[in-house]
Amino acid sequence: MSGKTGGCFRGLIIAGAWLLLTGCRHVPVPEVAETVHQGMPGSLSMPASDVAVQLEAIVARLEALEHRLPVAPASPAENLWPGSVRGREIEVSDLPALGSVAARLGIIEVTDYQCPYCRAHYRETFGDLRQRFIETGIVRYHIFHYPLPGHLLGQVAAAAGTCAAEEGVFWPVHQALFELDQLLDADQIVAVTNAQIAEPSDFNACLNESQGKFQEYRLSSTGGQPEIRGTPPFFIGRLRGDTLVAPIITLSGVQSVAAFQHAIDRFQRAVE
């Protein structure tokens, strides 16, 4: 292929890989369109919508390849939470949790039910994490709802998850929401959640009260609020009671089980 065409194709590959590894981010549509237009050679310019379709296809292929490629372990400097890591602790007592209270390690997943990368993590990775690390008592797994700006259905679903937690059925609702191919409307979210709730009237009252609060949510932590640029990031560290203590390892975007295994192994070696 010509140099221009080859460069364009390589650019699309890089963009697709970046989307896969960083997850959902909030970028204004005009900014995306302008960037795509300026980045295309004059003879190969195309509508941003066509480029988006090609990127989605590339991402799908990358996701399929992910399970066959070895994961290179990142250096400690890349994995540590930016900033004064040793001064940071994250309170997890208010977060929905799965796993033994005696687990020595904790994972916090920052999630958005409207984010396709969060859904991909649930469908492709979470089941293995649950079997290998959660059900064996190694890890206690926590969920922090963080619907991105503009993800209005993500906010409704986050409210539904919060209210389900108050009813003691968070994990069945969490599963039901991520098993949907996509969020269509608020009625769909309420119907899926009500199927798991013993007293739908109480749930609906909670849902009406909870919506719209999630853009103000913050993780309770010392040393400053962790920077969340997109979803899903994962915070991994030792548990001291209901607190995730430093040093804390971060993973971002769609990650393989091997990446989590590497992080967990580092902590387990440190306490042996």
Side-chain angles (χ1 to χ4, degrees):
M1 65 178 65
S2 69
K4 285 186 176 181
T5 305
C8 177
F9 182 74
R10 286 192 295 272
L12 289 173
I13 289 289
I14 292 170
W18 181 85
L19 285 170
L20 179 64
L21 294 176
T22 57
C24 293
R25 291 170 178 252
H26 176 62
V27 180
V29 172
E31 180 181 334
V32 173
E34 182 179 356
T35 302
V36 170
H37 177 72
Q38 292 179 352
M40 289 290 180
S43 60
L44 293 173
S45 62
M46 64 181 71
S49 58
D50 291 347
V51 175
V53 171
Q54 293 188 30
L55 285 176
E56 289 178 2
I58 291 169
V59 168
R61 292 182 181 180
L62 288 171
E63 289 173 343
L65 287 171
E66 180 191 12
H67 300 289
R68 299 197 292 270
L69 294 176
V71 176
S75 67
E78 290 175 310
N79 271 334
L80 289 176
W81 197 353
S84 55
V85 174
R86 296 187 184 280
R88 295 184 188 263
E89 297 182 346
I90 306 177
E91 177 66 33
V92 297
S93 60
D94 292 335
L95 303 182
L98 185 66
S100 171
V101 295
R104 302 176 70 178
L105 298 178
I107 296 176
I108 301 173
E109 174 191 340
V110 180
T111 199
D112 176 355
Y113 290 112
Q114 199 171 343
C115 171
Y117 301 98
C118 299
R119 182 176 294 107
H121 167 76
Y122 176 82
R123 293 184 172 186
E124 300 172 12
T125 307
F126 177 73
D128 285 339
L129 293 181
R130 182 170 184 164
Q131 182 178 11
R132 295 188 190 187
F133 306 119
I134 301 171
E135 293 178 352
T136 56
I138 297 172
V139 164
R140 191 157 83 242
Y141 198 92
H142 306 82
I143 297 292
F144 176 67
H145 293 122
Y146 195 83
L148 297 178
H151 282 191
L152 301 183
L153 292 178
Q155 294 180 31
V156 176
T162 298
C163 294
E166 293 183 7
E167 296 288 327
V169 291
F170 172 79
W171 292 101
V173 168
H174 181 75
Q175 175 180 335
L177 289 171
F178 269 140
E179 286 182 348
L180 295 170
D181 289 333
Q182 63 178 344
L183 300 182
L184 299 176
D185 53 40
D187 290 341
Q188 175 205 43
I189 295 169
V190 171
V192 166
T193 308
N194 275 340
Q196 309 293 333
I197 301 291
E199 296 293 339
S201 60
D202 293 341
F203 165 77
N204 291 334
C206 175
L207 183 62
N208 291 332
E209 182 180 347
S210 299
Q211 289 184 54
K213 296 181 179 179
F214 290 92
Q215 291 190 31
E216 303 301 323
Y217 272 31
R218 296 291 184 269
L219 282 170
S220 176
S221 64
T222 61
Q225 168 70 15
E227 185 177 23
I228 301 173
R229 295 182 177 180
T231 53
F234 304 89
F235 302 143
I236 307 170
R238 292 178 294 110
L239 282 171
R240 184 182 299 149
D242 286 326
T243 304
L244 199 69
V245 299
I248 294 172
I249 293 174
T250 62
L251 299 175
S252 297
V254 179
Q255 295 286 339
S256 67
V257 175
F260 286 94
Q261 177 77 68
H262 175 68
I264 291 169
D265 285 349
R266 286 174 56 191
F267 283 111
Q268 289 183 314
R269 287 194 297 268
V271 299
E272 287 177 353

